[in-house]
Amino acid sequence: MGKSLPEDTLRIASLLPAATDILICLGLTDCIFGISHECKVVYEEHGKNVNWSGDDCVHVLNSSLIDFDRADDAAMTQQEIDAKVKANADSLYQMNVASMELVRPSLILTQGLCAVCGPSPKQMSCLKISSHVKVLSLQPRNLSEVLESFVQVAKVCDVPTRGITMKDEFQRRLFQLRSLIHDHYKGSSNREINKTRSSLSEKRKPKVLLLEWLDPPYDGGHWVIDQIKHAGCENSFDSLDSCQSDVSKKSKEVSWDKIYKSDPDVVIVACCGFDLDRNLKDAKEAKGAFMRLRAFKENSIYAADGNRYFARPGPSLLGGISIIARCAHDRIGSLSKKIDELDFSPKEGLGWSQVIFDETKQAEIEIEDTVTIANKDDFYKIHADACKSGKKYYLDPETGYRVFTRIGLEALGKCCGSGCRHCPYNHASVKEEDKAKRIKQPALLYRAGNFSNKDISMIKVLFWSGGKDSFLTLRALYRSNPRKNDFAIVLLTTFDETSRVIANQNIHIDNVVRQAKHLELTLIGVPMHRASSESYISRIGKAMDVVRKEILHEHGIIGSLVFGDLHLDHIRDWRDKELSKLKIPLEYPLWKKSYDHLMESLRSSKVECKISASNVEDVGVGDDFIFTYEKLSLMKKSDVTIDLFGENG
């Protein structure tokens, strides 16, 4: 980084609010000549009057694709913002070259931690920066590194003592807060603590869930983990995921099912980039998702100014720690009063607030209300009606969230990679390693190399459950095409969208993806939605569209749909009747084949085959199938009916 710069020659361009906050606290406001568009609010928080025009004014050095000062952007839902960010992750910020030339900086402060949070060194490549200009990229991953950044900035600005003093003062105040909490619990009786919340027994620390985003939900990462700990609380995910204790982990998307399983005592909605008012509004709109939480019933959901106190790695994080402590101990009158009296604690209604969902008592709302809402109508019909009306989104009947329609997603112009429910792009931008857990529409889960180098004129689509019958069907297809040049094989697997498990086989879709990779066969996944009335035939039809577009490229044909049915007439009759509507021939290579013939094929393959489910005495899950088959064949009696291939029980 080189030598520090004397204060009287400093001309600073600060490209992130945290750095501007640090500079103002260091007494270097007059040395700032350029800022990012998000830094204006920092001046307002400090009550600083700024000259935005004139010879020595403060210049705004960038613009953003999403700017909440614009009415249209401010009106966007969290889901719309998330989709736009993911679709434009590398081009969110545009630097103003002319303004930077007017600033003539001697020091540029930027960040390299998050492409969404502000301009990074990579995005500054368009600027012609002199070799004499110092560039300091801040990228703290935890609270300790945030405090060290105070010293870094002060040192490069030639005021090292101020940085050390600033760090020491932060730690002194933090110790003051922690001592209040420690002394209270040390001196309080179990009876006093037990009455704070119905489920918070003895002296257990409150479990806190801090949400950095709601739709989709993201947990708090990096320094937020430290903030929760210093507030005398536990991260609600610690009991579920040991990685959550890693103080340098990034914020990541989590499922509502995981949130429900973590059962937090307190939820704080502190979405990145949003002030208190916006987070209060969005928290109320997410009522449907919160209703299943114990914290909802106990009136323990709060909103905070996430932009200032949690997203910005600077001195304001101290106020964020105080907010967590205050919300987590809201029912303890004596302690909450002492926290309120600290001079650095944000005031209720300004920095944080309890979320009041209804005028009536939240505790009176039962989980059955959620079920009633979910069953009122299915999203497939709602989506169809919304598209018919030309709407870009609809309200999900279960969560109350706004969900993009196909029309709304088509307006984006490309897949955002989020795994949207109605993605019209076959989830093209979802990373391959994430597709099995993200896709909501039929999509490629794995593309085999044999489709990369030549055109395919005909494909046979094998319905693949991951079990022995599917494998034996594949062997039969290979025997009918020994040179492997008459047609190519594509696997298709349907699975439950919620559990990601294949029906009957009781195996996870991840296992099927591994099978496809081992076999070097392209795999299409078809998630089946419980809360949708869309027909099975419609879902399979969409999967065929994926085959035509992504594999055949509209040039070849789908020769047949192939099934591993053995002898159940009613299953075949149903397939023949319903799937014939797709106007694709159906093929049953194993139909009415003897079990001895099938077992010989299985033995000769030398592939290990394990039992995944059983209701037969002395046959357990995980047992070797070939050995079990032979054992049951010898044991079979006339008064006991056992289908040795498990097709009929």
Side-chain angles (χ1 to χ4, degrees):
M1 188 169 60
K3 297 181 180 179
S4 57
L5 300 167
E7 187 176 348
D8 57 355
T9 63
L10 269 179
R11 292 184 64 87
I12 304 174
S14 174
L15 297 179
L16 71 159
T20 301
D21 202 359
I22 293 170
L23 290 168
I24 293 175
C25 289
L26 289 172
L28 298 173
T29 307
D30 293 340
C31 299
I32 305 172
F33 289 88
I35 59 171
S36 79
H37 73 292
E38 293 180 319
C39 290
K40 287 186 176 182
V41 68
V42 182
Y43 283 93
E44 295 172 4
E45 292 166 0
H46 286 277
K48 297 290 185 181
N49 294 319
V50 183
N51 179 20
W52 300 110
S53 61
D55 294 337
D56 284 326
C57 69
V58 177
H59 295 271
V60 177
L61 301 175
N62 74 291
S63 60
S64 174
L65 190 64
I66 300 174
D67 187 344
F68 297 126
D69 287 336
R70 296 193 293 259
D72 288 347
D73 289 350
M76 293 171 66
T77 66
Q78 289 203 22
Q79 187 187 54
E80 290 171 335
I81 295 168
D82 180 71
K84 192 170 183 178
V85 166
K86 288 175 178 174
N88 301 276
D90 296 327
S91 57
L92 282 175
Y93 298 97
Q94 298 80 41
M95 301 303 300
N96 189 321
V97 177
S99 293
M100 185 66 82
E101 290 175 350
L102 291 173
V103 169
R104 306 187 312 280
S106 56
L107 171 65
I108 298 175
L109 298 180
T110 183
Q111 60 88 37
L113 192 67
C114 173
V116 178
C117 298
S120 63
K122 180 180 178 181
Q123 291 167 320
M124 293 168 52
S125 59
C126 63
L127 302 174
K128 297 179 180 179
I129 301 174
S130 167
S131 59
H132 300 294
V133 177
K134 297 185 181 300
V135 178
L136 174 60
S137 179
L138 302 175
Q139 38 194 338
R141 298 166 299 169
N142 53 51
L143 188 61
S144 176
E145 292 179 3
V146 171
L147 300 188
E148 193 57 38
S149 70
F150 301 169
V151 179
Q152 283 182 283
V153 174
K155 186 176 180 180
V156 76
C157 293
D158 200 29
V159 288
T161 304
R162 297 186 202 177
I164 296 171
T165 300
M166 184 176 167
K167 175 182 175 180
D168 290 345
E169 181 62 14
F170 188 106
Q171 292 176 319
R172 182 191 68 78
R173 292 182 167 191
L174 179 57
F175 179 77
Q176 187 180 1
L177 172 61
R178 295 186 63 180
S179 296
L180 282 180
I181 299 169
H182 177 269
D183 291 348
H184 175 84
Y185 277 91
K186 184 178 180 181
S188 298
S189 66
N190 283 354
R191 182 179 178 184
E192 181 180 358
I193 295 172
N194 286 342
K195 67 183 181 182
T196 61
R197 282 191 176 86
S198 60
S199 54
L200 194 55
S201 60
E202 299 185 357
K203 295 188 178 183
R204 177 175 67 79
K205 295 179 179 179
K207 293 194 301 181
V208 171
L209 169 64
L210 190 139
L211 291 170
E212 287 195 356
W213 204 251
L214 281 174
D215 190 11
Y218 277 75
D219 66 344
H222 291 313
W223 49 83
V224 172
I225 301 171
D226 284 332
Q227 287 182 290
I228 292 173
K229 179 184 70 175
H230 287 306
C233 305
E234 294 179 355
N235 187 320
S236 68
F237 289 136
D238 279 352
S239 60
L240 302 181
D241 185 359
S242 60
C243 294
Q244 295 287 338
S245 298
D246 180 0
V247 297
S248 64
K249 81 165 189 73
K250 295 181 178 180
S251 171
K252 66 175 182 293
E253 184 176 342
V254 295
S255 68
W256 280 106
D257 283 342
K258 184 173 183 177
I259 291 172
Y260 300 146
K261 188 176 180 181
S262 73
D263 188 31
D265 298 305
V266 175
V267 177
I268 301 175
V269 179
C271 299
C272 182
F274 291 162
D275 61 13
L276 174 60
D277 289 343
R278 176 61 191 263
N279 279 324
L280 269 173
K281 172 181 174 293
D282 287 358
K284 291 178 180 179
E285 291 180 355
K287 173 184 171 182
F290 286 131
M291 285 173 66
R292 291 178 58 184
L293 288 171
R294 175 172 53 83
F296 177 88
K297 297 179 180 180
E298 295 182 352
N299 301 316
S300 297
I301 297 180
Y302 300 84
D305 184 339
N307 192 43
R308 179 174 185 179
Y309 296 112
F310 299 99
R312 187 192 305 166
S316 294
L317 292 185
L318 181 63
I321 299 172
S322 178
I323 287 173
I324 296 173
R326 179 61 177 79
C327 295
H329 303 97
D330 194 20
R331 308 285 179 83
I332 306 176
S334 57
L335 179 56
S336 59
K337 182 179 179 181
K338 290 178 181 178
I339 295 174
D340 284 340
E341 291 173 349
L342 295 172
D343 60 0
F344 55 84
S345 289
K347 302 304 178 185
E348 182 175 6
L350 296 177
W352 65 277
S353 178
Q354 183 184 17
V355 181
I356 306 299
F357 292 92
D358 289 306
E359 295 299 325
T360 57
K361 294 181 180 179
Q362 289 171 255
E364 295 175 354
I365 301 175
E366 301 295 333
I367 189 61
E368 284 76 16
D369 292 338
T370 305
V371 177
T372 301
I373 293 172
N375 292 335
K376 185 177 180 181
D377 214 337
D378 70 273
F379 68 72
Y380 178 71
K381 181 178 182 299
I382 295 173
H383 175 252
D385 291 342
C387 288
K388 190 180 296 184
S389 301
K391 294 180 179 179
K392 292 185 177 182
Y393 65 86
Y394 64 90
L395 296 181
D396 181 78
E398 181 175 2
T399 66
Y401 285 164
R402 290 184 178 183
V403 179
F404 272 133
T405 63
R406 171 184 52 78
I407 293 173
L409 292 167
E410 287 174 345
L412 294 176
K414 61 180 178 179
C415 175
C416 66
S418 300
C420 297
R421 180 183 288 175
H422 304 290
C423 180
Y425 306 104
N426 307 126
H427 299 293
S429 296
V430 178
K431 294 179 181 178
E432 183 175 291
E433 61 268 25
D434 293 334
K435 280 190 173 182
K437 66 181 179 182
R438 277 185 176 271
I439 67 166
K440 305 293 192 302
Q441 292 293 322
L444 281 173
L445 293 183
Y446 174 67
R447 183 189 291 273
N450 62 324
F451 288 136
S452 302
N453 302 317
K454 62 180 180 178
D455 292 330
I456 304 298
S457 60
M458 186 173 78
I459 279 176
K460 292 193 175 187
V461 179
L462 170 56
F463 281 60
W464 182 268
S465 67
K468 65 185 185 314
D469 296 350
S470 295
F471 176 66
L472 290 170
T473 306
L474 177 64
R475 285 175 60 81
L477 286 175
Y478 278 145
R479 283 196 296 270
S480 70
N481 181 27
R483 292 181 297 176
K484 297 183 181 180
N485 58 3
D486 295 334
F487 57 83
I489 298 171
V490 169
L491 306 182
L492 182 148
T493 299
T494 60
F495 57 93
D496 182 77
E497 188 274 331
T498 302
S499 67
R500 318 304 274 190
V501 168
I502 290 91
N504 300 321
Q505 295 296 334
N506 198 32
I507 61 174
H508 198 275
I509 186 62
D510 287 344
N511 292 329
V512 170
V513 173
R514 284 193 288 271
Q515 291 175 342
K517 290 181 178 179
H518 178 75
L519 294 167
E520 191 55 25
L521 289 172
T522 294
L523 172 66
I524 293 175
V526 185
M528 308 300 289
H529 296 272
R530 300 178 188 178
S532 169
S533 63
E534 183 179 11
S535 70
Y536 176 81
I537 304 304
S538 173
R539 299 297 283 175
I540 300 303
K542 289 178 179 178
M544 295 305 102
D545 290 340
V546 174
V547 173
R548 295 184 183 99
K549 181 179 179 181
E550 301 291 332
I551 301 173
L552 292 171
H553 305 292
E554 309 294 352
H555 297 306
I557 63 170
I558 299 175
S560 64
L561 305 182
V562 187
F563 301 92
D565 297 307
L566 304 181
H567 59 72
L568 298 182
D569 291 302
H570 69 283
I571 297 295
R572 177 165 179 170
D573 289 345
W574 181 87
R575 295 195 199 279
D576 289 342
K577 177 183 177 182
E578 296 299 325
L579 289 169
S580 63
K581 297 173 183 177
L582 298 175
K583 301 187 183 307
I584 301 173
L586 307 186
E587 190 174 349
Y588 303 89
L590 305 185
W591 188 250
K592 301 297 184 179
K593 298 289 185 183
S594 72
Y595 282 4
D596 289 341
H597 172 85
L598 297 176
M599 280 304 300
E600 181 57 33
S601 177
L602 191 59
R603 288 191 191 97
S604 64
S605 73
K606 297 181 181 181
V607 170
E608 187 178 53
C609 184
K610 298 292 186 181
I611 294 173
S612 62
S614 170
N615 62 356
V616 177
E617 188 176 356
D618 298 327
V619 177
V621 173
D623 289 355
D624 181 79
F625 172 72
I626 296 177
F627 174 80
T628 301
Y629 177 91
E630 293 170 346
K631 180 178 72 171
L632 291 177
S633 295
L634 294 172
M635 294 172 56
K636 193 172 182 182
K637 301 177 182 179
S638 59
D639 59 340
V640 178
T641 302
I642 300 175
D643 186 329
L644 297 179
F645 255 66
E647 172 129 312
N648 199 27

